[in-house]
Amino acid sequence: MPWYFWVSPVAALLLLWGSLMLRRKQRLLADMPTSKAAGVFIGMSELKGTAESEAHCTSHLAELPCVHYSYTIEERWSRLATETYTDTTGRPQTRTRRETGWDIVDARGESPDFYVKDDTGAVLVKPEGAKIEPLELFSQTVSRGDPLYHSKGPYAGIPNSDHVRRFVEYGIPLHTPLYIVGRAREREDLVAAEIAADKEADLFLISTRTEEKIQSGYAVWSWICLVLGLVALVAGMVIIDNPRNTPFDPLRYAGVVGCYVAVFAVGWVWMVYNSLVSLRERTRQGWSLVDVQLKRRHDLIPGIAAACAGLATHEREVQAVLASLRTQQQATAPGKPGADFAGVAGELRVVIERYPSLMANDGFAKLHAALVETEQRVALARAYYNEIATALATRLEIVPDRFVGALAGIEPPTLLHAENFERASLAVRFE
């Protein structure tokens, strides 16, 4: 059997695999809730905000303040080439033709660390290793008489140059709205999250496009790959059959197409199963984040009690609030009764407003600020859990995901309910 017999089925399988992987990425984005900057926790995260940096770079061509840019300068060349060919009589002949093309004469860029900022704060992003989808900042083609030719490009030219250069630059200017998906980890310099490259991450994307456009792009290319795989399979059969003068057999072609569809169906079930399992694990992680934040808040109680020692006038009301906090040192499992989400920051604020002298105690003021921040973290963790649990529950109601979920034994999670959560706004300034 000739080697080219395998080219068509291998190409079809590779295209089918590409279709499934694109669909998997589309589902990953669809199932992942958007986190606020103050609520980014360890693990896969999705953020929307603006690009900010105190130490930004300046793009080379457009000269704009950016958090990322890259440019290329190409120079056109042309030359005469002589080639030998055989004419219709079998005699060797020579002819001259003009060749032309473009060579890169300069290409550079910068991608410093930057922050993505929203209404709750900012998160550090380390773009090295990310797939970056920037904006076009500059595009111009000029001849040697234009000042741009040498002011931004190298002085030396290339052999056979036409003295025409093409300048193209892409980048992310400051304050540009961004959509970021990547794995968050703890920073080394302080207690905060950062988003950086991770070998185990399914995706690390920094894009100036919206989430909706990215998802639709993955879906469209998934269908294109699937159809191209089918075309490659059928075309390969035609190419193999023609030299052999094999008569057209519609049943054979239908059987091959049916096998292709069957392989895709099996791969699709496998992809859906893995994505549902991944979503279930992210839901469990979301619940554990709530527990972690409640434990963090509970650990602040001894400090608050020490700061309030000796304030006999306020002791009864303050201790009542602290007692309420003590009941929330651990999270109650979803669906079970508990006082996890009473929102006690508001109660403590009422006490402070009634007795302003409390804020004169510097230690109490700092601990109160930490408590309010923790209340916000608890609220954000709860919101994250509810959003990702809703995504899983929705998937398990949609056909045919519902049947795959039933085969995997995945049950819809229970949502958390609360009325008294407070979300304090964190001000972040960039000079």
Side-chain angles (χ1 to χ4, degrees), residues 2 82 94 246 261 293 298 356 395 400:
T82 301
T94 60
T246 304
V261 173
Q293 295 306 317
H298 175 260
R395 281 290 184 194

Side-chain angles (χ1 to χ4, degrees), residues 145-160:
D146 193 290
L148 180 65
Y149 190 89
H150 282 127
S151 64
K152 294 295 184 180
Y155 187 80
I158 60 174
N160 305 305

Side-chain angles (χ1 to χ4, degrees), residues 147-193:
L148 180 65
Y149 190 89
H150 282 127
S151 64
K152 294 295 184 180
Y155 187 80
I158 60 174
N160 305 305
S161 174
D162 290 336
H163 305 296
V164 175
R165 285 179 174 176
R166 181 166 57 198
F167 297 77
V168 179
E169 185 173 60
Y170 294 89
I172 302 177
L174 284 180
H175 318 309
T176 300
L178 293 179
Y179 173 72
I180 299 179
V181 177
R183 186 176 293 275
R185 66 187 185 189
E186 187 173 346
R187 292 175 58 172
E188 296 180 355
D189 54 343
L190 51 87
V191 181

Side-chain angles (χ1 to χ4, degrees), residues 7-27:
V7 173
S8 173
V10 169
L13 289 175
L14 289 176
L15 287 166
L16 187 149
W17 175 261
S19 174
L20 292 173
M21 292 301 99
L22 288 168
R23 184 65 65 175
R24 181 171 179 267
K25 289 183 178 181
Q26 188 265 332
R27 288 173 62 95

Side-chain angles (χ1 to χ4, degrees), residues 12 65 108-109 135 172 176 183 185 195 222 234 250 252 287 292 321 326 335 358 363 380 401:
R108 283 179 291 170
L135 300 173
I172 302 177
T176 300
R183 186 176 293 275
R185 66 187 185 189
I195 298 179
S222 174
V234 174
R252 187 166 67 93
W287 169 244
V292 167
V321 176
R326 287 192 182 96
L358 277 175
L380 291 170
D401 290 44

